[in-house]
Amino acid sequence: MDLPAQEQQPEPEPALPLVRLNHVAFSCTSVEDSVDFYRCVLGFQLIQRPASLDFGGAWMHRYGMGIHLLQRSAGCDAPPRSPAINPKGNHISFQCSDMALTKARLRDMNLEVVTTRVRDGETTVEQLFFHDPDGNVIEICNCEDLPVVPLAPPACLAKHTV
Protein backbone atom coordinates (compact mmCIF):
# COMPACT_ATOMS: atom_id res chain seq x y z
CA MET A 1 0.00 0.00 0.00
CA ASP A 2 1.48 3.32 -1.07
CA LEU A 3 0.82 6.12 1.38
CA PRO A 4 1.15 9.80 0.42
CA ALA A 5 3.91 11.79 2.06
CA GLN A 6 2.71 13.30 5.31
CA GLU A 7 3.09 17.03 5.93
CA GLN A 8 3.47 18.33 9.48
CA GLN A 9 1.07 15.84 11.02
CA PRO A 10 0.55 16.15 14.76
CA GLU A 11 2.06 13.37 16.84
CA PRO A 12 -0.52 10.65 17.45
CA GLU A 13 -1.63 10.02 20.98
CA PRO A 14 0.01 7.00 22.60
CA ALA A 15 -1.56 3.68 21.68
CA LEU A 16 -4.13 2.18 23.99
CA PRO A 17 -2.51 -0.03 26.64
CA LEU A 18 -3.60 -3.26 24.92
CA VAL A 19 -1.82 -6.51 25.72
CA ARG A 20 -3.29 -9.14 23.35
CA LEU A 21 -6.50 -10.40 21.81
CA ASN A 22 -8.66 -11.73 24.65
CA HIS A 23 -11.58 -13.38 22.86
CA VAL A 24 -13.87 -13.35 19.89
CA ALA A 25 -17.62 -13.86 20.19
CA PHE A 26 -19.90 -15.66 17.75
CA SER A 27 -23.68 -15.80 17.73
CA CYS A 28 -24.76 -19.44 17.35
CA THR A 29 -27.84 -21.28 16.20
CA SER A 30 -26.77 -24.20 18.42
CA VAL A 31 -24.23 -23.57 21.17
CA GLU A 32 -23.88 -27.34 21.60
CA ASP A 33 -22.95 -27.88 17.93
CA SER A 34 -20.49 -24.99 18.08
CA VAL A 35 -18.89 -26.24 21.32
CA ASP A 36 -18.42 -29.63 19.67
CA PHE A 37 -16.84 -27.99 16.59
CA TYR A 38 -14.41 -25.76 18.48
CA ARG A 39 -13.48 -28.61 20.84
CA CYS A 40 -13.05 -31.38 18.25
CA VAL A 41 -11.71 -29.39 15.29
CA LEU A 42 -9.66 -26.63 16.93
CA GLY A 43 -8.91 -28.12 20.36
CA PHE A 44 -10.59 -25.47 22.53
CA GLN A 45 -11.56 -26.38 26.10
CA LEU A 46 -14.90 -25.50 27.64
CA ILE A 47 -14.43 -23.16 30.64
CA GLN A 48 -16.73 -21.74 33.29
CA ARG A 49 -18.77 -18.65 32.45
CA PRO A 50 -19.70 -16.04 35.05
CA ALA A 51 -22.94 -17.03 36.81
CA SER A 52 -24.34 -13.53 36.30
CA LEU A 53 -24.74 -14.07 32.55
CA ASP A 54 -28.46 -14.62 32.06
CA PHE A 55 -28.42 -15.85 28.47
CA GLY A 56 -27.39 -19.11 26.84
CA GLY A 57 -23.85 -19.55 25.74
CA ALA A 58 -20.48 -21.14 26.41
CA TRP A 59 -16.95 -19.92 26.90
CA MET A 60 -13.98 -21.81 25.51
CA HIS A 61 -10.26 -21.20 25.84
CA ARG A 62 -6.98 -22.31 24.26
CA TYR A 63 -3.87 -20.78 22.70
CA GLY A 64 -4.03 -17.83 25.09
CA MET A 65 -7.40 -16.63 23.80
CA GLY A 66 -11.08 -17.25 24.28
CA ILE A 67 -14.07 -17.91 22.09
CA HIS A 68 -17.42 -16.87 23.49
CA LEU A 69 -20.36 -18.66 21.91
CA LEU A 70 -23.67 -16.81 22.30
CA GLN A 71 -26.99 -18.58 21.84
CA ARG A 72 -28.97 -16.74 19.21
CA SER A 73 -32.38 -15.67 20.56
CA ALA A 74 -35.52 -17.33 19.26
CA GLY A 75 -36.98 -15.27 16.46
CA CYS A 76 -33.64 -13.58 15.80
CA ASP A 77 -32.74 -13.97 12.17
CA ALA A 78 -29.35 -15.52 11.63
CA PRO A 79 -27.02 -13.55 9.41
CA PRO A 80 -27.10 -15.04 5.94
CA ARG A 81 -24.55 -17.83 5.58
CA SER A 82 -22.70 -17.71 2.32
CA PRO A 83 -22.45 -21.17 0.80
CA ALA A 84 -19.02 -20.21 -0.52
CA ILE A 85 -16.00 -19.91 1.76
CA ASN A 86 -14.69 -16.38 1.22
CA PRO A 87 -11.03 -15.89 2.21
CA LYS A 88 -11.43 -12.13 1.66
CA GLY A 89 -14.33 -11.79 4.10
CA ASN A 90 -14.35 -11.43 7.87
CA HIS A 91 -12.62 -14.35 9.56
CA ILE A 92 -10.56 -15.41 12.55
CA SER A 93 -7.10 -16.83 11.89
CA PHE A 94 -4.97 -19.28 13.85
CA GLN A 95 -1.21 -19.67 13.41
CA CYS A 96 -0.20 -23.28 12.76
CA SER A 97 3.12 -25.08 13.28
CA ASP A 98 2.46 -28.00 10.87
CA MET A 99 0.36 -27.21 7.81
CA ALA A 100 0.66 -30.69 6.24
CA LEU A 101 -0.65 -32.39 9.39
CA THR A 102 -3.43 -29.81 9.74
CA LYS A 103 -4.53 -30.30 6.12
CA ALA A 104 -4.62 -34.08 6.59
CA ARG A 105 -6.68 -33.79 9.79
CA LEU A 106 -9.17 -31.37 8.25
CA ARG A 107 -9.50 -33.72 5.26
CA ASP A 108 -10.12 -36.65 7.66
CA MET A 109 -12.92 -34.59 9.28
CA ASN A 110 -14.53 -34.13 5.84
CA LEU A 111 -14.55 -30.35 6.18
CA GLU A 112 -14.84 -28.27 3.03
CA VAL A 113 -11.58 -26.31 2.88
CA VAL A 114 -10.42 -23.57 0.52
CA THR A 115 -6.63 -23.40 0.22
CA THR A 116 -4.78 -20.26 -0.87
CA ARG A 117 -1.14 -19.21 -0.99
CA VAL A 118 0.40 -15.80 -0.43
CA ARG A 119 3.86 -15.11 -1.84
CA ASP A 120 6.21 -12.34 -0.78
CA GLY A 121 9.64 -12.62 -2.36
CA GLU A 122 11.02 -16.03 -1.41
CA THR A 123 8.37 -16.61 1.29
CA THR A 124 5.19 -18.56 0.62
CA VAL A 125 2.42 -18.79 3.19
CA GLU A 126 -0.35 -21.34 2.97
CA GLN A 127 -3.85 -20.54 4.22
CA LEU A 128 -6.70 -22.98 4.92
CA PHE A 129 -10.22 -21.54 5.19
CA PHE A 130 -13.37 -23.34 6.36
CA HIS A 131 -16.72 -22.66 8.04
CA ASP A 132 -17.80 -23.32 11.61
CA PRO A 133 -21.38 -24.63 12.10
CA ASP A 134 -22.81 -21.08 11.84
CA GLY A 135 -20.90 -20.07 8.73
CA ASN A 136 -18.15 -18.05 10.44
CA VAL A 137 -14.95 -18.38 8.45
CA ILE A 138 -11.94 -19.90 10.21
CA GLU A 139 -8.41 -19.62 8.80
CA ILE A 140 -5.40 -21.71 9.73
CA CYS A 141 -2.09 -20.51 8.34
CA ASN A 142 1.64 -20.25 8.72
CA CYS A 143 1.40 -16.46 8.39
CA GLU A 144 4.17 -15.81 10.92
CA ASP A 145 6.58 -16.80 8.14
CA LEU A 146 5.88 -13.39 6.58
CA PRO A 147 7.96 -10.54 7.95
CA VAL A 148 6.15 -7.78 9.80
CA VAL A 149 7.42 -4.54 8.28
CA PRO A 150 5.96 -1.40 9.87
CA LEU A 151 4.99 1.39 7.51
CA ALA A 152 5.11 5.09 8.32
CA PRO A 153 1.84 5.79 10.12
CA PRO A 154 -0.78 7.83 8.26
CA ALA A 155 -2.44 10.70 10.04
CA CYS A 156 -4.69 9.50 12.87
CA LEU A 157 -8.41 9.67 12.37
CA ALA A 158 -10.29 12.56 13.86
CA LYS A 159 -11.17 12.02 17.48
CA HIS A 160 -14.21 9.84 17.96
CA THR A 161 -16.93 10.73 20.41
CA VAL A 162 -18.97 7.98 22.00
Side-chain angles (χ1 to χ4, degrees), residues 102-160:
T102 300
K103 274 200 293 194
R105 288 194 178 159
L106 293 174
R107 187 172 39 250
D108 291 346
M109 293 179 213
N110 295 316
L111 289 172
E112 179 185 355
V113 176
V114 170
T115 302
T116 63
R117 294 185 192 285
V118 174
R119 291 177 180 81
D120 186 29
E122 299 295 315
T123 304
T124 299
V125 165
E126 190 166 16
Q127 300 167 296
L128 309 173
F129 295 90
F130 52 95
H131 282 138
D132 77 358
D134 288 287
N136 298 303
V137 177
I138 309 296
E139 174 189 4
I140 297 179
C141 68
N142 58 338
C143 295
E144 285 186 357
D145 290 352
L146 290 171
V148 176
V149 181
L151 300 174
C156 290
L157 300 174
K159 293 200 185 285
H160 297 282

Side-chain angles (χ1 to χ4, degrees), residues 28-44:
C28 305
T29 301
S30 167
V31 168
E32 293 78 17
D33 289 348
S34 294
V35 164
D36 190 50
F37 174 86
Y38 284 98
R39 187 179 57 79
C40 295
V41 176
L42 298 175
F44 276 78

Side-chain angles (χ1 to χ4, degrees), residues 1 33 83 85 97:
M1 171 167 76
D33 289 348
I85 298 168
S97 62

Side-chain angles (χ1 to χ4, degrees), residues 9-112:
Q9 296 294 329
E11 282 295 313
E13 292 183 29
L16 297 174
L18 305 180
V19 177
R20 63 177 168 78
L21 177 67
N22 179 269
H23 71 273
V24 295
F26 293 124
S27 173
C28 305
T29 301
S30 167
V31 168
E32 293 78 17
D33 289 348
S34 294
V35 164
D36 190 50
F37 174 86
Y38 284 98
R39 187 179 57 79
C40 295
V41 176
L42 298 175
F44 276 78
Q45 178 181 12
L46 197 57
I47 63 170
Q48 183 175 322
R49 283 180 13 151
S52 63
L53 296 178
D54 61 354
F55 55 90
W59 283 12
M60 304 189 82
H61 193 268
R62 179 104 191 247
Y63 316 111
M65 67 164 289
I67 294 182
H68 295 183
L69 303 171
L70 312 173
Q71 182 64 52
R72 191 172 293 127
S73 301
C76 178
D77 290 335
R81 175 182 173 156
S82 171
I85 298 168
N86 180 6
K88 294 179 182 174
N90 294 335
H91 62 274
I92 181 172
S93 178
F94 294 92
Q95 176 67 25
C96 176
S97 62
D98 188 334
M99 291 298 288
L101 176 62
T102 300
K103 274 200 293 194
R105 288 194 178 159
L106 293 174
R107 187 172 39 250
D108 291 346
M109 293 179 213
N110 295 316
L111 289 172
E112 179 185 355

